[in-house]
Amino acid sequence: MVGANGLGVSVQGVIIDNENKEVSKLETKHLGMGYFNLKSEQGKTYQAKITYPDGSVNTLKLPNAVNEGYALSVYNNTTGDTILVRIGAGSSILKKEIRLLV
């Protein structure tokens, strides 16, 4: 998260589905950056309910899940000089060429 001053903001929150069930937690770790894991289900919608340091809460609608697409995961090895990049794809698009420019 980035604040109005352009600097990272520490936030915490949860991801809720259209039935108002908590499906994941989120928290920024460094300079407003963080991550969360979510295995979306077809037909459901999701929102991020974010709590800011001053106690205010904001709810943001997440994009709708689609049946096919790509998933990109990047893992930084903090003890070395390597980065692991994983690209996942739906079965109908696996045969297409994928290019990653770093």
Side-chain angles (χ1 to χ4, degrees), residues 68-74 85-91 93-94 98:
E68 296 294 333
Y70 295 100
L72 176 68
S73 302
V74 180
V85 177
R86 290 186 178 162
I87 301 173
S91 59
I93 55 177
L94 279 176
I98 300 172

Side-chain angles (χ1 to χ4, degrees), residues 33-47:
M33 295 180 285
Y35 66 92
F36 61 90
N37 293 313
L38 172 66
K39 184 171 182 171
S40 59
E41 295 181 39
Q42 187 175 4
K44 287 194 171 187
T45 58
Y46 299 92
Q47 296 181 340

Side-chain angles (χ1 to χ4, degrees), residues 12 17 20 47 52 59 65:
Q12 295 182 351
D17 66 13
N20 213 30
Q47 296 181 340
Y52 296 93
T59 302

Side-chain angles (χ1 to χ4, degrees), residues 16-95:
I16 55 175
D17 66 13
N18 53 303
E19 298 171 351
N20 213 30
K21 292 181 186 172
E22 182 180 314
V23 294
S24 186
K25 293 185 182 297
L26 66 89
E27 179 179 7
T28 57
K29 297 290 185 184
H30 176 69
L31 300 175
M33 295 180 285
Y35 66 92
F36 61 90
N37 293 313
L38 172 66
K39 184 171 182 171
S40 59
E41 295 181 39
Q42 187 175 4
K44 287 194 171 187
T45 58
Y46 299 92
Q47 296 181 340
K49 193 172 188 180
I50 300 168
T51 303
Y52 296 93
D54 66 1
S56 62
V57 177
N58 190 17
T59 302
L60 304 169
K61 184 179 183 309
L62 298 180
N64 291 335
V66 294
N67 291 332
E68 296 294 333
Y70 295 100
L72 176 68
S73 302
V74 180
Y75 303 91
N76 186 13
N77 180 355
T78 58
T79 61
D81 60 356
T82 60
I83 295 175
L84 172 64
V85 177
R86 290 186 178 162
I87 301 173
S91 59
S92 68
I93 55 177
L94 279 176
K95 296 178 183 176

